[in-house]
Amino acid sequence: MFVSVRFYWIFILSTIPAVLSENVAFIIIDVQNCFLPGGSLAVTNGEEVIPIINTLRSKYENKFRLVVLSQDWHCSNHISFASQHNETSAYNSITLTYDDNGNICDPCQTVAYNVSQMLWPDHCVINSTSAEFDDTLTRKDSDVIIRKGFNCDVDSYSAFFDNGKFSQTGLHKILQDADISTVFVTGLALDYCVYYTSSDAKRLGYTTYLVKDGSRGVANSTSVDALTDMASNGINIIQSDGVGAILESITSAAVSSCSFVLTIPLVIPMLASWIISGI
Ligand SMILES: [Zn+2]
């Protein structure tokens, strides 16, 4: 009897951290040398996101169940590089064609997919210094690293899917396995990889917060368009100084839920003991 009671309480107490722990992931997109000053595809003022991201981590590390860093990770002859295409140049857009298996047409008998592709300077080549994360970006062994764009024939702005939606990166399953329901997205660049990642997160059912001052765009006009589109699709556009209050509200909801959940296992045994003792 003593043993069973002891295990009962151990079980009850062990459920408390799980119920109280917020189902939140912090996603940091592509804070790599190639997108920072001196990089081949430097985002203007991109370095300004680093202290903001580091501060969010240091203040709220225990609130984030997962911290995810995405990493653009391209073959040296990647199809998104302007250097791989004749008679065009960087920042021009072309249309790529794929068959029904998601293979690039070279050519193919039947074109199944047309995918618009912006051409970029060579950047973030696999195992190069350019592809490394910035040295000053806070990192931990527990961080989840999601590499994207390593298929030479298709680009991947989103940390969830390639641009043709032919394959997943694995991030969705990782978030599902960790029971994540809310994501905060930061990083580079606002109008491409941050935008596509946030949009996919929302579409996949996650409550999604885009931390605007924790991100910078390639161009002002496309950044404005991206922010407008995200807001219209239910993505919450916030500033970093608003993250604390949002996490607090999530914690409060979890505490309320915990109180309700614990009512049954705590009250029923108490009532039973009263009845047995004749009170
Ligand atoms: Zn890229």
Side-chain angles (χ1 to χ4, degrees), residues 9 12 43 57-58 70 139 141 146 167 176 202 213-214 263:
W9 283 108
I12 294 301
V43 176
R57 286 201 69 164
S58 64
S70 74
R139 294 183 56 201
D141 290 342
I146 297 292
S167 63
Q176 284 182 309
K202 178 64 182 171
D213 56 333
T263 295

Side-chain angles (χ1 to χ4, degrees), residues 1 266-279:
M1 181 62 180
L266 288 175
V267 171
I268 289 178
M270 189 169 64
L271 290 174
S273 67
W274 288 351
I275 293 168
I276 291 168
S277 61
I279 296 174

Side-chain angles (χ1 to χ4, degrees), residues 98-242:
Y98 297 85
D99 66 18
D100 55 6
N101 292 316
N103 297 315
I104 191 87
C105 290
D106 188 25
C108 49
Q109 284 192 326
T110 306
V111 174
Y113 304 98
N114 289 288
V115 178
S116 177
Q117 176 67 57
M118 177 73 83
L119 296 178
W120 305 104
D122 292 15
H123 64 280
C124 297
V125 172
I126 293 171
N127 290 328
S128 69
T129 305
S130 160
E132 291 176 1
F133 295 111
D134 181 80
D135 284 343
T136 63
L137 183 70
T138 300
R139 294 183 56 201
K140 296 194 173 179
D141 290 342
S142 57
D143 292 347
V144 175
I145 308 294
I146 297 292
R147 287 177 170 162
K148 60 187 182 63
F150 48 80
N151 180 333
C152 305
D153 292 332
V154 61
D155 208 355
S156 185
Y157 294 152
S158 168
F160 289 96
F161 303 96
D162 64 54
N163 287 6
K165 294 276 196 299
F166 305 133
S167 63
Q168 297 202 31
T169 62
L171 176 56
H172 184 38
K173 181 161 192 331
I174 290 169
L175 297 183
Q176 284 182 309
D177 289 347
D179 201 23
I180 297 296
S181 57
T182 299
V183 298
F184 289 80
V185 185
T186 59
L188 303 170
L190 172 61
D191 37 357
Y192 289 93
C193 295
V194 170
Y195 168 51
Y196 278 76
T197 299
S198 301
S199 299
D200 281 340
K202 178 64 182 171
R203 255 193 299 276
L204 289 167
Y206 301 98
T207 301
T208 304
Y209 294 91
L210 181 277
V211 184
K212 186 179 172 188
D213 56 333
S215 186
R216 295 291 183 281
V218 171
N220 186 57
S221 62
T222 44
S223 295
V224 169
D225 290 347
L227 287 166
T228 302
D229 188 62
M230 285 189 279
S232 69
N233 284 312
I235 294 169
N236 305 287
I237 312 294
I238 62 167
Q239 298 289 334
S240 58
D241 60 7

